[in-house]
């Protein structure tokens, strides 16, 4: 704001005042942590500060006129120059993000804002703008995306999904694997009512009670419940929930989600087989017994 105020100040009749204003603008811009630039009425660059030059890896002479555009990544250049041209022709302020590819091969991400400088009559006299290096933010966002992609791939391979519920807004988030278990497309965002409606009567009451108790006491839960998917499939799922506290209060609930239908079917088959074996063992007319390797009798019919 100080830079813009200095740049917009109308010319003084006093040459000394003009020189003071020019020195003030240069002092402000050269001490700024942001890249600063100024253009003429046609959007051609007339000044860049040292920070701008460091971000773009260009000298002052290289940045002047339309030379600054050579620092824009080739894949972004047409978009950025078109946006800038359209903004200057229309006389409007500009804001955009793009990549800078420096001559030394370094890649930077920048956020640029430019405001029009107008005369007392409203005519455009030029633009003054600021360039912020946001490469760190982009790197953090990319690492987060990579981490989420890794977790999603691992979850898909393991058959385990994730979920989150905001206890105040009741907004629900499902990972892609959780969506698949519900027979919903990846990226589906259910309402709280839709998420709960997948559980039949008694199971719905159990999950509601578990959520209420977790929010009250902060204790996690681990349940296996019957569920009906969006396509009508009857499945069994294991859902684990844990509370996230904020200022000592339950704010969010998050956890893991797994389809355990196959495991429960296997356990049921084993139980049935054991029942049949026990029935045979108890009802056979022959003497049956089991012993361990040392000859100790373990059981007899």
């Amino acid at each position: 704001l100080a830079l813009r105020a200095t740049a917009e100040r109308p010319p003084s009749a006093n040459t000394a005042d003009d020189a003071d204003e020019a020195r003030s603008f240069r002092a402000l811009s050269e001490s700024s942590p942001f890249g600063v630039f100024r253009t003429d009425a046609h959007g051609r660059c007339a000044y860049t500060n040292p920070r701008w030059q460091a971000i773009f890896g260009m000298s002052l002479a290289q940045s002047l006129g339309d030379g600054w555009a050579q620092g824009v990544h080739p894949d972004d250049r047409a978009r950025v120059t078109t946006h800038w041209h359209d903004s200057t022709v229309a006389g409007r302020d500009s804001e955009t993000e793009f990549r800078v590819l420096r001559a030394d091969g370094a890649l930077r991400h920048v956020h640029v804002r430019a405001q029009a400088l107008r005369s007392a009559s409203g005519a455009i006299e030029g633009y003054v703008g600021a360039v912020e290096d946001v490469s760190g933010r982009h790197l953090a966002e990319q690492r987060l995306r990579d981490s989420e992609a890794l977790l999603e791939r691992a979850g898909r391979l393991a058959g385990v999904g994730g979920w989150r519920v905001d206890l105040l807004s009741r907004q629900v988030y499902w990972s892609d694997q959780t969506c698949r278990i519900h027979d919903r497309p990846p990226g589906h965002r259910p309402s709280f009512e839709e998420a709960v409606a997948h559980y039949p009567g008694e199971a719905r009451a159990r999950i509601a009670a578990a959520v209420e108790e977790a929010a009250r006491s902060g204790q996690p839960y681990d349940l296996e419940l019957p569920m009906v998917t969006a396509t009508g499939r009857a499945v069994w799922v294991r859902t684990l929930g844990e509370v996230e506290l904020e200022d000592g209060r339950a704010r969010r609930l998050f956890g893991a989600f797994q389809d355990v239908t196959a495991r429960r079917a296997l356990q049921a088959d084993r139980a049935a087989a054991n029942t049949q074996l026990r029935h045979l063992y108890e009802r056979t007319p022959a003497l049956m017994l089991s012993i361990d390797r040392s000859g100790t009798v373990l059981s007899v019919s």
Side-chain angles (χ1 to χ4, degrees):
L1 289 174
L3 285 168
R4 186 171 188 269
T6 303
E8 280 189 319
R9 190 172 296 136
S12 168
N14 190 311
T15 304
D17 288 344
D18 290 345
D20 286 344
E21 289 173 4
R23 283 194 294 270
S24 295
F25 175 79
R26 185 170 294 276
L28 281 169
S29 65
E30 293 191 358
S31 63
S32 172
F34 298 98
V36 175
F37 64 92
R38 186 171 179 175
T39 78
D40 62 19
H42 302 290
R44 292 172 56 83
C45 188
Y47 166 80
T48 56
N49 73 340
R51 178 57 180 157
W52 188 103
Q53 295 158 28
I55 293 172
F56 277 71
M58 302 174 72
S59 66
L60 173 61
Q62 290 172 324
S63 70
L64 299 180
D66 295 325
W68 63 271
Q70 296 305 308
V72 180
H73 193 289
D75 292 343
D76 296 347
R77 192 173 298 155
R79 171 180 63 83
V80 171
T81 54
T82 299
H83 170 80
W84 179 239
H85 175 267
D86 292 346
S87 297
T88 56
V89 169
R92 62 172 181 262
D93 295 344
S94 169
E95 184 169 358
T96 186
E97 285 196 8
F98 55 87
R99 293 169 295 172
V100 170
L101 183 61
R102 302 192 325 191
D104 61 6
L107 181 69
R108 314 301 297 170
H109 291 262
V110 297
H111 185 93
V112 182
R113 301 180 185 88
Q115 289 184 312
L117 302 176
R118 298 181 183 273
S119 66
S121 64
I124 297 291
E125 293 186 333
Y127 287 83
V128 63
V131 178
E132 181 182 5
D133 187 339
V134 294
S135 303
R137 188 194 76 198
H138 274 262
L139 179 60
E141 290 173 349
Q142 184 60 51
R143 286 176 175 170
L144 178 60
R145 286 192 294 270
D146 291 344
S147 177
E148 289 176 342
L150 177 61
L151 288 173
E152 173 58 31
R153 177 172 293 183
R156 187 170 66 252
L157 292 174
V160 178
W163 56 269
R164 182 176 66 246
V165 177
D166 188 300
L167 295 173
L168 296 182
S169 67
R170 304 219 309 176
Q171 289 184 331
V172 179
Y173 165 81
W174 285 349
S175 72
D176 288 349
Q177 182 60 24
T178 300
C179 291
R180 294 186 189 98
I181 294 172
H182 284 82
D183 287 340
R184 291 291 190 181
H188 179 69
R189 295 293 178 262
S191 66
F192 183 83
E193 290 73 19
E194 177 192 341
V196 173
H198 281 281
Y199 298 96
E202 183 181 348
R204 190 179 309 175
R206 288 184 64 196
I207 191 69
V211 169
E212 183 178 351
E213 177 61 22
R216 186 190 65 80
S217 66
Q219 294 300 309
Y221 64 81
D222 184 349
L223 299 174
E224 287 193 7
L225 301 169
M227 191 192 80
V228 179
T229 72
T231 60
R233 287 191 309 117
V235 297
W236 278 84
V237 295
R238 182 185 182 191
T239 177
L240 297 88
E242 186 170 307
V243 168
E244 182 179 293
L245 299 177
E246 195 172 279
D247 297 327
R249 299 181 60 186
R251 183 66 175 83
R252 281 170 288 274
L253 195 64
F254 63 96
F257 198 77
Q258 184 179 22
D259 185 340
V260 295
T261 307
R263 176 171 63 76
R264 287 186 67 94
L266 180 59
Q267 289 174 338
D269 289 343
R270 285 178 177 173
N274 287 339
T275 298
Q276 291 177 353
L277 181 60
R278 174 56 60 182
H279 182 77
L280 176 64
Y281 193 79
E282 295 293 346
R283 299 297 180 87
T284 180
L287 168 65
M288 297 186 69
L289 74 160
S290 58
I291 61 174
D292 64 15
R293 291 183 177 182
S294 66
T296 301
V297 177
L298 301 176
S299 66
V300 297
S301 65

